[in-house]
Every structure is written in C-alpha cells, then in structure tokens.
Amino acid sequence: MKRALITGITGQDGSYLAELLLSKGYEVHGIIRRASTFNTERIDHLYQDPHIRDAQLFLHYGDLSDSVNLVKLLYGLKPDEIYHLAAQSHVRVSFDIPEYTADITGVGTIRILEGIRETGLQTRFYQASSSEMYGKAAEIPQRETTPFHPRSPYGVAKVFAYWATVNYRESYNLFGCNGILFNHESPRRGETFVTRKITRAVAYIKAGLQSKLFLGNLDAKRDWGFAKEYVEAMWLMLQQDNPDDYVIATGETHTIREFCEVAFGRVGLDWQKYVDFDKRYLRPAEVDILIGDPSKAKRVLGWEPKTKFKALVQLMVDADMQLLQDKLSGKVSRVNG
C-alpha cells in the first residue's frame, strides 16, 4: 500500500485527490489547520464510504508556517508521494495580504522541500503551480516554455515555489514535478472565487433570495476545466520514470461574461438583468487572457480533459441549486460533485 501526504486536503483539489488516491488503494494522510470550527466538509463523506476503511485516511494538524512540525510529520509518516496543494490561493486577496501570501504560498514550499532534504526521504513531490505565473502572457497559448510574468503577489509566490521545486530537483536529485494548472472549477470551489460566486448567486436569485450579483472585469478570459479531472494529472506526473513539469488545461478560453450567460441561462434567466459592475473587485494589475497548451500532458501522461466549458458551468449551477434546495428544506447536505 502506497502512502501519500496531501497538504490542503480540505480544499477543492485536495478532496478530489484524496478520493482518487483512496480508490487506488493508497493510505492517505492530510494536513489541516487547527480552527475553532470544523472545516472538513469537503472530505467528511469519505468516512461514510463503505469501500474505504478507516485505516486508510488520516488527518494531522499542521501549518505551512511551522517548519518544525512539517519535518516531524515527514519523519513519522515517510510518505511515498507528497502532493503540495495548500496555499493562500485567492488572487485578489493576495493584493490585500501580500506578505502572508508570500510566506505561505511561496516560502511554505521551501519548508516542505527542505523537510524532504533534511529527512532524506526518497519521496516523489508534486508542486501545485498556477497559470497565474504567466500573468501578462508572452505568447498564446501558454506552454511549459512560456516565460513567466506574474501580475499579483499570488502569482509571484507561485513562481518562487515553481523555481524552488526545479532547484531542489536539479540540486538534490529530488523527484519534483510542477503541475501548471489553469483554472479548474467544480461544485466544491470556494464561494469567494468568481465562478462559484456566480453559480451560487444564480441559485439564490432564482429562488428570490438575492437581487443582484456584483462582479469586476467581465472581459477577463480564462481556460476553465473540471477539477476532478485535473487531480488525475497530478497523480500521473508522479507515476512517471522521470520528474518533469506539465501544463494542465483545456486549450479553450472563455470570458467571465460567457460564464454568466451560460450559468443564468441554465435556469432561464437573462444575466444582464442581474449582474452589475463593481470596481472593488478589479485587481490593481489585471490578467487579460490565459489559455494553456496541454499537448505535452497528452503526449507524455496520456491525459486530456473530458468536461467541456458549458457542461462544467451547468454542473456547478445544478449543484448549487440542489444545495440551496436542501438548505431551505432543512436537509443535511454535503458538497457534491
């Protein structure tokens, strides 16, 4: 039985990845931050799955700012694979808390890499890199060789973590891979991210519980895929003979305006009647277009996206409609998708 450690296991990607690894017979360990409230709703259902034994999923308290605890965990667990997904991952918020973002998203990666080196673990390491590293893109589409030009503290921190992974790979022969994932969404996406903010608003507006949705730049173009499919690419990277870096994307780009049109259209509403502009949601430096070239991932990993843009938006709207219906009827509901 392989043993995997996931940082950020309670997030969107972490929960889907935990499901995938458990289905493959892994013993899965996840790091969670101590909080006064439970924040494990995305993975709680795994404990009710009759096909998963309690002895396969373990949670440990930890924090990316605490290098001593990270080293202790690595010494104790000796994981075969480490999937580093945890970060301060909200791009707009990174402008408000740049120092914290740099520490957790950037330096936090160094703490794990140093932990691996210090313990002498022969493990395989996955770094969750981001399309935001391209920022003011030098070419369209963006591929593994495209120069980085980040336009946010989050993007800058991710570039730091990317090169840290490359540096440890080249300096210490560490098996480290960067997955440069373009935007990937799901019903488990956090409610402060624009896609989930839209689909949740659609449900509330349709139910008469909300009248308006305020957004920033509607012309921003993004390459949106389904998170549940993207975590498979993470796993595939660590199954290769040699470590490398890969762009994971759909190769299609759509505007936030298009996202609104499909989302509101799913419930028979005209989005233009409900969406208003609010400059507070603009970034100090905008990223106009991101579109990835996943051809290397298809060629080497045999991975390609399956869920198209319209189907993804509709899937998210349907899930938020059901979630609200369950809430209004008093049902106990988990995050599905």
Side-chain angles (χ1 to χ4, degrees):
M1 183 185 291
K2 282 187 177 181
R3 180 177 294 165
L5 174 64
I6 303 173
T7 72
I9 193 172
T10 58
Q12 170 189 254
D13 294 5
S15 65
Y16 282 123
L17 180 61
E19 283 180 2
L20 176 69
L21 296 179
L22 288 168
S23 74
K24 293 181 179 297
Y26 279 64
E27 178 182 302
V28 176
H29 294 258
I31 297 177
I32 62 172
R33 285 177 297 175
R34 177 70 178 92
S36 59
T37 57
F38 293 113
N39 61 346
T40 58
E41 63 272 6
R42 291 187 180 96
I43 57 173
D44 286 341
H45 66 284
L46 295 174
Y47 292 101
Q48 280 84 53
D49 191 325
H51 300 101
I52 297 172
R53 303 193 314 273
D54 289 341
Q56 284 181 270
L57 178 60
F58 303 87
L59 299 179
H60 309 268
Y61 287 123
D63 195 288
L64 291 177
S65 64
D66 184 355
S67 57
V68 173
N69 185 60
L70 290 173
V71 170
K72 285 181 179 179
L73 281 173
L74 293 178
Y75 266 124
L77 298 177
K78 296 179 174 62
D80 299 292
E81 298 171 3
I82 298 173
Y83 295 87
H84 179 38
L85 311 183
Q88 190 303 99
S89 59
H90 198 288
V91 179
R92 179 61 190 84
V93 171
S94 76
F95 285 99
D96 300 323
I97 48 173
E99 183 180 342
Y100 176 80
T101 300
D103 183 43
I104 298 303
T105 306
V107 181
T109 303
I110 281 282
R111 294 187 181 109
I112 296 177
L113 290 168
E114 264 297 285
I116 294 171
R117 190 181 71 83
E118 172 68 26
T119 56
L121 285 179
Q122 295 302 305
T123 189
R124 297 190 168 202
F125 177 78
Y126 171 84
Q127 163 60 20
S129 292
S130 168
S131 59
E132 288 289 334
M133 298 189 305
Y134 295 119
K136 191 174 181 179
E139 62 179 349
I140 297 173
Q142 294 89 52
R143 45 184 67 88
E144 291 81 4
T145 55
T146 302
F148 300 137
H149 187 154
R151 301 266 281 173
S152 66
Y154 169 77
V156 171
K158 281 294 186 181
V159 170
F160 178 93
Y162 171 93
W163 284 116
T165 302
V166 172
N167 185 258
Y168 274 69
R169 182 170 71 207
E170 295 176 351
S171 301
Y172 304 113
N173 200 31
L174 183 146
F175 193 109
C177 296
N178 281 293
I180 308 172
L181 272 59
F182 281 64
N183 293 64
H184 46 292
E185 316 298 324
S186 76
R188 299 182 190 176
R189 191 53 143 156
E191 293 177 355
T192 60
F193 290 84
V194 67
T195 51
R196 185 74 195 289
K197 182 179 176 181
I198 293 168
T199 60
R200 185 177 182 273
V202 166
Y204 276 72
I205 289 171
K206 182 66 175 178
L209 300 175
Q210 184 174 329
S211 58
K212 287 288 183 180
L213 169 63
F214 296 95
L215 298 173
N217 182 12
L218 295 177
D219 296 317
K221 295 180 178 179
R222 295 292 184 268
D223 183 328
W224 278 299
F226 185 22
K228 189 174 184 178
E229 297 169 1
Y230 281 37
V231 299
E232 184 180 6
M234 301 177 187
W235 176 77
L236 286 168
M237 288 179 211
L238 298 196
Q239 312 314 307
Q240 305 306 304
D241 292 334
N242 298 301
D244 208 345
D245 309 318
Y246 300 88
V247 163
I248 304 299
T250 68
E252 295 182 9
T253 189
H254 299 272
T255 63
I256 293 174
R257 181 178 277 101
E258 288 177 79
F259 197 105
C260 289
E261 184 178 357
V262 175
F264 279 88
R266 181 63 169 173
V267 297
L269 297 177
D270 179 359
W271 72 273
Q272 296 181 83
K273 295 180 179 179
Y274 303 98
V275 177
D276 282 349
F277 171 76
D278 190 330
K279 65 179 182 180
R280 290 179 300 172
Y281 296 113
L282 292 176
R283 304 178 185 179
E286 287 290 336
V287 173
D288 297 323
I289 180 169
L290 293 174
I291 176 171
D293 176 3
S295 57
K296 179 180 176 180
K298 181 178 181 180
R299 184 179 70 254
V300 179
L301 305 178
W303 180 90
E304 56 185 325
K306 301 177 182 67
T307 305
K308 297 296 184 181
F309 172 73
K310 185 175 182 180
L312 172 63
V313 179
Q314 293 178 340
L315 180 153
M316 292 177 66
V317 169
D318 292 349
D320 270 324
M321 292 287 288
Q322 185 63 54
L323 199 62
L324 179 59
Q325 183 179 331
D326 291 346
K327 182 179 180 180
L328 294 176
S329 62
K331 293 181 181 178
V332 176
S333 179
R334 68 174 177 85
V335 181
N336 294 301

